[in-house]
Amino acid sequence: MKPFYRILFLLLSALGLFSNRAVACDVCGGISPAAMGGLLPVLKSSIIGVRTQFRPFIHPTNPPNMNGNSRVLSDHIWQSAIWVRTFPKPRWQVYAELPYSVQYRQETKQNTLAQGPGDALASISFVAINSPDSVERKIKYAVLTGIQIGLPTGSYQLRDATGKMLPLGLQSGTGCWSAGSHLNATLRSKKWGLNLDGRFTYFAKNERGLQPGIATTVSWRTFAFLNTPKVTWLPSMGILYEQMEKEREFGLVKTESGGSRMSAQMGLDMYSRRAFASIQLQWPVVQQKTNSQPNLLAAFQISLGYIW
């Protein structure tokens, strides 16, 4: 990670340590840990949900994308997860998810279908700053900060049709323990709001001697708050920045790994008294990577949840 992003993330995390007197309010905008997560309300209510995400990649035509005599054309990744978010205490939020993914690789002479469970994730967040709950207040705000841990529960030794080990990006899991921190800040007026989410994840080495690079994501969204008698609507649009440092294998840097991506994103979140639904779209604007790596074409995610 570049020094600028390290400093920015540390400053934002430090800001989240200064608490305010108030507890939960009706500020909407807390984002879920997934990179394409929807806008979750910062309430005392708990949510259990499922989501599914689809990401297609296209490979460039060059020697690194040859698998023997077969050329790699594209990858398609479907990842689904069941997740739960709850507030055991008014200012503490606990989140957990169990993912499962399916990967399909298309080549000129063969195709590969691989699938398996992903790495489980658990996080705990503290509502560090929250505006007092008052109907007269025109501006509302909330800041959540916390830590997360990833468990090596996923399949990470999946192979292609020839028996060759698939790259890390096509594995359902990493085989690594991971840990990180996150910060989420929301500012909302009566009808409009801003949301900023930052996440930093460090990965340990797995038993294959492979260590993924440090991952950083920063998301910025502008959203509208439309309240009707039965449904609350939150259309949003913004920018997602993702960076992954280079992998290491047996202590050596894998030069063809790592990179960054800046994507535009838009979404629509809908809440009723007990139900939640969300659709999110993402398309890359800038991708910085080596010439051997595939390009993400676009991505979408659908989520459904129950509020109690």
Side-chain angles (χ1 to χ4, degrees), residues 19-307:
S19 63
N20 200 9
R21 177 179 58 85
V23 290
C25 72
D26 61 348
V27 175
C28 285
I31 201 168
S32 70
M36 291 180 65
L39 295 166
L40 301 180
V42 183
L43 296 170
K44 295 180 181 178
S45 302
S46 299
I47 303 177
I48 184 169
V50 293
R51 73 164 186 269
T52 184
Q53 181 187 105
F54 174 66
R55 293 177 294 155
F57 296 84
I58 189 76
H59 283 258
T61 303
N62 53 28
N65 284 284
M66 294 297 298
N67 186 13
N69 294 324
S70 180
R71 185 168 69 85
V72 180
L73 301 174
S74 62
D75 297 325
H76 301 82
I77 301 175
W78 293 266
Q79 185 184 70
S80 299
I82 182 170
W83 56 270
V84 61
R85 190 205 69 173
T86 186
F87 282 83
K89 291 190 177 293
R91 297 178 69 169
W92 291 95
Q93 171 187 291
V94 175
Y95 177 95
E97 69 173 45
L98 293 172
Y100 189 92
S101 65
V102 177
Q103 296 82 230
Y104 178 74
R105 166 162 283 188
Q106 183 181 17
E107 302 182 21
T108 53
K109 295 188 177 182
Q110 64 210 13
N111 299 320
T112 296
L113 180 66
Q115 58 186 311
D119 293 341
L121 174 72
S123 71
I124 184 168
S125 303
F126 178 63
V127 183
I129 302 176
N130 209 351
S131 56
D133 193 5
S134 172
V135 294
E136 298 178 356
R137 180 174 289 274
K138 295 182 179 180
I139 302 296
K140 297 185 178 183
Y141 49 86
V143 175
L144 283 76
T145 184
I147 58 174
Q148 72 263 2
I149 184 170
L151 285 65
T153 57
S155 303
Y156 65 99
Q157 300 194 55
L158 301 174
R159 297 176 182 272
D160 67 13
T162 67
K164 183 179 178 180
M165 189 74 70
L166 288 169
L168 182 61
L170 280 184
Q171 299 289 341
S172 295
T174 63
C176 307
W177 288 88
S178 66
S181 60
H182 56 265
L183 176 79
N184 185 281
T186 302
L187 179 69
R188 181 174 77 81
S189 65
K190 187 176 182 180
K191 296 294 184 182
W192 298 91
L194 298 173
N195 177 262
L196 174 66
D197 185 86
R199 298 178 185 274
F200 172 87
T201 306
Y202 171 83
F203 295 88
K205 187 187 302 182
N206 66 22
E207 64 179 20
R208 286 173 45 201
L210 180 65
Q211 183 178 20
I214 294 172
T216 304
T217 63
V218 177
S219 172
W220 167 80
R221 292 172 184 254
T222 299
F223 64 91
F225 187 85
L226 309 175
N227 206 0
T228 63
K230 293 186 177 181
V231 180
T232 298
W233 306 82
L234 278 83
S236 64
M237 62 186 303
I239 297 294
L240 173 66
Y241 174 78
E242 304 168 276
Q243 183 188 51
M244 177 72 77
E245 293 189 355
K246 294 185 182 298
E247 304 164 16
R248 291 179 177 270
E249 191 167 22
F250 302 113
L252 300 177
V253 175
K254 299 186 70 174
T255 57
E256 297 300 316
S257 63
S260 63
R261 179 166 54 235
M262 182 80 73
S263 302
Q265 57 182 351
M266 63 184 301
L268 176 63
D269 298 274
M270 298 153 283
Y271 296 90
S272 66
R273 187 170 179 270
R274 292 295 181 188
F276 157 72
S278 171
I279 182 169
Q280 306 293 323
L281 304 175
Q282 171 192 335
W283 57 97
V285 178
V286 178
Q287 300 187 70
Q288 295 183 337
K289 55 184 183 54
T290 62
N291 292 331
S292 64
Q293 293 177 300
N295 292 302
L296 174 65
L297 298 181
F300 76 88
Q301 177 176 286
I302 297 175
S303 304
L304 297 173
Y306 174 75
I307 303 172

